[in-house]
Amino acid sequence: MNDGTKIPKNHRDAALVYAALNIKVFRVRRDKAPYGNCPRCDKDSSIYVKHRPEECQCGVPTCHGFWAATTDPALIHKWWTEEPDANIGAPCKLNGWAVLDIDPRNGGHTSLAALEQRVGVLPGTVMQLTGGDGLHILYGSPGFDLPGAPFPGIDFKHNGYILLAPSVHVSGSRYQWPGDGRFRKPTAPWPTALLPAKERRAVPAPRPAARRHSFPSARTAGRPGGGKMWTVEDLVQHVMDSRDGGRNNAYFFAACRAHELAEQNLISLSEAETALAHAAAAVGLTDSEARNTFDSAATRPSDRTWAA
């Protein structure tokens, strides 16, 4: 049974406890700028060279940022004795984690609800409150690269890092493990439904019952010139069913159909754009790619030149 570990309120002691649990940690400034960790980057050193961290040329690859993360208690004690209020950073991939970072300021809670409506409730796992009403949902690393920001207000933190309790959020509130405040290592694997398409196909899993995604507007509409009856939901499904190499064409096709149906007052163009934007993000298209493609579909070719 995983009863968890009580995390001290003192940053140095907390960092030492995480390290004892074999979690690599490093110092993070309140503005999230990295600390220097070698003599040429140590302001108290006789060979200190003034420079910006991102311009560091000291030749030490672990000098700045999460590459300096360690479980060495002596080094951790030194770092947090020097900077007692430094926040505690933990690299995700180096610690075997992948994290959903939910930011409510950018619509993360709404996106999470829409995501779970589409793929089902996410598996239970360890969560952390971020201090800004946000949420970290921790899973085991899938062993594959993940897209950074697949949905509005949701980041997939894998190659990056997160802050750990009791770090202080920019709002002034502290990060915290919910409930009794104990930290429990995540054991649940990254959800198969959130893997990139090519890796998801490689993971054996029972086929779920066919279902449609619950996006705005399910009004039935005739295709210009006759033929298939399209709805916004159908167009979303068409994008979601696209595979690597075909997602751009699938999205452009759906955008063209959306413009044609909107011109006939059969669907709401704004509803279609919002729904298709979510679908585009889900298959790996960036926001700018989706917007540009949707706008270019306004000058689409004749419907007769397309086949779904």
Side-chain angles (χ1 to χ4, degrees):
M1 180 178 178
N2 186 359
D3 292 328
T5 302
K6 189 67 175 178
I7 302 300
K9 294 181 179 179
N10 176 279
H11 287 205
R12 182 188 62 189
D13 293 344
L16 287 168
V17 168
Y18 287 124
L21 295 171
N22 202 34
I23 297 170
K24 297 178 175 67
V25 296
F26 67 104
R27 293 184 299 180
V28 179
R29 299 182 189 274
R30 290 294 175 86
D31 62 359
K32 294 193 175 180
Y35 280 83
N37 298 302
C38 75
R40 288 173 59 87
C41 303
D42 184 347
K43 292 182 180 180
D44 295 329
S45 170
S46 61
I47 61 173
Y48 169 70
V49 177
K50 185 177 181 179
H51 63 280
R52 294 170 58 85
E54 59 268 30
E55 297 168 352
C56 180
Q57 298 180 8
C58 70
V60 181
T62 59
C63 176
H64 294 102
F66 66 80
W67 295 111
T70 183
T71 58
D72 181 354
L75 186 54
I76 290 170
H77 188 279
K78 176 180 182 294
W79 283 350
W80 269 274
T81 298
E82 294 172 347
E83 298 286 346
D85 294 328
N87 279 333
I88 304 168
C92 297
K93 191 174 183 179
L94 293 180
N95 281 311
W97 303 340
V99 179
L100 274 80
D101 185 0
I102 313 300
D103 181 3
R105 295 170 299 177
N106 295 306
H109 289 168
T110 300
S111 292
L112 179 61
L115 174 64
E116 290 195 318
Q117 190 175 32
R118 178 166 62 82
V119 303
V121 176
L122 296 177
T125 187
V126 176
M127 295 186 289
Q128 179 179 227
L129 306 176
T130 67
D133 293 328
L135 187 66
H136 287 155
I137 306 176
L138 284 68
Y139 291 102
S141 170
F144 303 112
D145 287 335
L146 298 171
F151 308 101
I154 297 181
D155 286 344
F156 287 173
K157 294 288 185 67
H158 191 219
N159 292 326
Y161 66 91
I162 61 173
L163 298 184
L164 300 180
S167 296
V168 179
H169 189 266
V170 293
S171 66
S173 298
R174 290 188 180 275
Y175 288 68
Q176 58 182 307
W177 303 108
D180 59 7
R182 292 178 178 271
F183 169 75
R184 296 166 174 82
K185 282 191 174 183
T187 58
W190 182 259
T192 301
L194 301 185
L195 286 173
K198 59 182 179 181
E199 280 82 20
R200 185 167 63 246
R201 292 197 299 273
V203 177
R207 291 182 62 86
R211 64 188 296 268
R212 290 295 187 181
H213 303 285
S214 299
F215 286 96
S217 182
R219 294 170 56 192
T220 301
R223 185 178 180 179
K228 179 177 174 62
M229 301 292 287
W230 290 101
T231 67
V232 172
E233 192 174 19
D234 289 330
L235 298 177
V236 167
Q237 190 69 47
H238 182 67
V239 175
M240 297 297 296
D241 288 341
S242 66
R243 296 292 183 262
D244 291 344
R247 61 188 182 185
N248 289 286
N249 286 339
Y251 185 77
F252 185 62
F253 175 90
C256 289
R257 302 292 75 72
H259 280 281
E260 290 167 353
L261 297 171
E263 287 173 358
Q264 300 177 80
N265 295 319
L266 295 170
I267 65 170
S268 163
L269 188 62
S270 62
E271 285 186 0
E273 182 176 12
T274 299
L276 289 174
H278 284 287
V283 298
L285 294 176
T286 66
D287 288 344
S288 60
E289 287 174 329
R291 284 195 301 269
N292 292 338
T293 299
F294 195 87
D295 291 343
S296 68
T299 57
R300 65 203 174 281
S302 168
D303 180 77
R304 290 188 298 273
T305 65
W306 288 92

